[in-house]
Amino acid sequence: MAALFKDSPEYEARKKVPFSPPAITIKDVHAAVPKHLFKRSTEKCLYYVGRHVAVSFAFYLCATRIDSTVLRIASQHDLGSRAVSALRYVFWALYWFWQSVAFTGLWTLGTQCGHDALAPSALLNAVLGLGLHTFVLTPYYAWRATHRSHHKGTNNLDRDETYHPQTREELNLPPEHVATPMDYKELIEETPLYTLWKMVIRQFLGFQLYLIHNRKGNPKYPPWTSHYKPSSLLFKPEDRPYIILSDAAMAVMICLLSFWIHSTSWNNVWRLYVVPWLVCWSDDRLRVMLMLLVVLCSGPIIGGSNIAGIEALADYAPGLS
């Protein structure tokens, strides 16, 4: 049994050999990839985009019928108010999870457009990428510029744009050769509320905060360096007209969401769009969904009001659109 928790002899031997990076160039990597895999197809591009849009729309249509479906099931099986609420939680959690997956797919396709990897036409990549990213509230051209820079300097602390860990100095840690276990204990000791707060921010808003003010981005930029500012040091001068275009597209999307809220309700847009949009940025959707359910089950049921029983649910369901 103890052997299960030991490294293999091969791994132990490999650790004793100093690591040296392989002498492989990007040209060598490209040469090893079959040539047909570099060929882009307009038909396949439109198929994948259309499929993802259709799947997302299908999830949306299903979600608009959740409350009426729960009402019908409750009527057929004479369910109590708690059972009705629990059933609604389950259905909405399923929608949020799968719609977040669909949103992530749309965002990923938009990112590939930013690499000019989806379609052979640069114009088609631009149109699709701008539309897909704007739908999930990502400034297409701004993200395109910094994401390309990220790929050119991935994991390089000087040149990479994202994922910069804090240094020992920033964490107020002494040099490694003089640090004591107590120094680390004070840094990582359990603080549940603070950890929960950091987890919520990281899971739901981390990417947006990076776009807004370069949170966890390269510290070489001044404070509040933003993807939404055309004159930002993140961009080259020739990028600025496109950053303005991205900002304009984002403004249009926000106006459309505002009109949707005005036409229906905030609760409606919150459940159908905002929650899956928040969850789609999470690296751990299942854990986030459990956290959401715990939070929601500890207070009013989804929709913002304590609806007790089937009669009140019947009044609520017709208003969903």
Side-chain angles (χ1 to χ4, degrees), residues 209-226:
L209 292 175
Y210 164 68
L211 295 177
I212 292 171
H213 70 96
N214 199 40
R215 179 184 176 89
K216 299 298 183 182
N218 196 316
K220 69 181 180 182
Y221 298 113
W224 286 94
T225 296
S226 176

Side-chain angles (χ1 to χ4, degrees), residues 255-266 269:
C255 288
L256 291 174
L257 289 173
S258 300
F259 178 75
W260 188 13
I261 293 170
H262 178 74
S263 301
T264 57
S265 68
W266 163 250
V269 179

Side-chain angles (χ1 to χ4, degrees), residues 8 15-16 19 25 35 83 96 118 153 159 209 231 275 305:
S8 68
K15 287 198 301 183
K16 297 176 183 178
F19 173 77
T25 65
K35 297 296 183 285
W96 291 336
L118 202 61
R159 298 189 295 114
L209 292 175
S231 61
V275 174
S305 56

Side-chain angles (χ1 to χ4, degrees), residues 28-317:
D28 296 330
V29 175
H30 275 256
V33 178
K35 297 296 183 285
H36 71 275
L37 296 180
F38 289 104
K39 293 181 180 179
R40 295 161 294 178
S41 167
T42 299
E43 291 76 17
K44 286 185 177 180
C45 160
L46 295 175
Y47 164 72
Y48 285 126
V49 172
R51 183 182 67 177
H52 276 70
V53 171
V55 167
S56 180
F57 186 66
F59 287 151
Y60 162 80
L61 290 179
C62 290
T64 61
R65 290 162 173 77
I66 286 178
D67 288 323
S68 58
T69 300
V70 171
L71 173 62
R72 185 170 61 254
I73 294 174
S75 300
Q76 292 173 351
H77 299 278
D78 194 25
L79 300 180
S81 59
R82 289 188 177 181
V84 170
S85 297
L87 191 59
R88 293 179 73 231
Y89 286 134
V90 170
F91 281 174
W92 278 109
L94 287 172
Y95 167 71
W96 291 336
F97 177 84
W98 287 111
Q99 187 66 287
S100 75
V101 173
F103 280 9
T104 303
L106 296 174
W107 183 87
T108 303
L109 287 172
T111 299
Q112 295 310 308
C113 288
H115 288 299
D116 289 325
L118 202 61
S121 165
L123 177 60
L124 183 56
N125 278 320
V127 171
L128 291 176
L130 183 64
L132 291 169
H133 268 190
T134 301
F135 177 75
V136 289
L137 295 178
T138 299
Y140 172 68
Y141 282 107
W143 171 248
R144 178 178 184 264
T146 59
H147 190 60
R148 286 187 169 190
S149 298
H150 158 69
H151 276 284
K152 292 177 181 178
T154 303
N155 295 332
N156 185 300
L157 291 181
D158 294 321
R159 298 189 295 114
D160 200 351
E161 296 288 346
T162 55
Y163 310 120
H164 275 253
Q166 290 179 290
T167 63
R168 299 182 72 89
E169 291 77 12
E170 291 170 333
L171 294 172
N172 295 319
L173 281 173
E176 186 176 2
H177 66 280
V178 298
T180 65
M182 183 59 68
D183 294 320
Y184 297 105
K185 182 179 179 181
E186 291 180 356
L187 177 66
I188 63 175
E189 65 182 349
E190 188 174 353
T191 52
L193 290 179
Y194 179 74
T195 301
L196 176 62
W197 169 250
K198 294 286 286 186
M199 184 176 72
V200 169
I201 295 299
R202 169 65 183 87
Q203 293 288 345
F204 294 117
L205 298 173
F207 179 64
Q208 301 305 321
L209 292 175
Y210 164 68
L211 295 177
I212 292 171
H213 70 96
N214 199 40
R215 179 184 176 89
K216 299 298 183 182
N218 196 316
K220 69 181 180 182
Y221 298 113
W224 286 94
T225 296
S226 176
H227 279 69
Y228 295 99
K229 187 177 180 181
S231 61
S232 171
L233 295 178
L234 293 167
F235 313 121
K236 299 175 182 178
E238 57 267 27
D239 293 330
R240 291 172 184 173
Y242 298 100
I243 308 306
I244 295 173
L245 177 59
S246 290
D247 290 347
M250 291 283 288
V252 170
M253 184 63 192
I254 291 173
C255 288
L256 291 174
L257 289 173
S258 300
F259 178 75
W260 188 13
I261 293 170
H262 178 74
S263 301
T264 57
S265 68
W266 163 250
N267 286 331
N268 189 52
V269 179
W270 167 261
R271 297 186 302 172
L272 291 172
Y273 178 87
V274 177
V275 174
W277 176 80
L278 287 171
V279 176
C280 85
W281 307 116
S282 168
D283 297 325
D284 191 347
R285 286 185 179 83
L286 288 176
R287 189 175 300 171
V288 166
M289 293 310 303
L290 288 174
M291 183 170 67
L292 273 175
L293 285 176
V294 169
V295 171
L296 290 170
C297 289
S298 64
I301 70 171
I302 304 168
S305 56
N306 282 309
I307 304 175
I310 300 173
E311 295 79 12
L313 180 60
D315 293 334
Y316 182 78

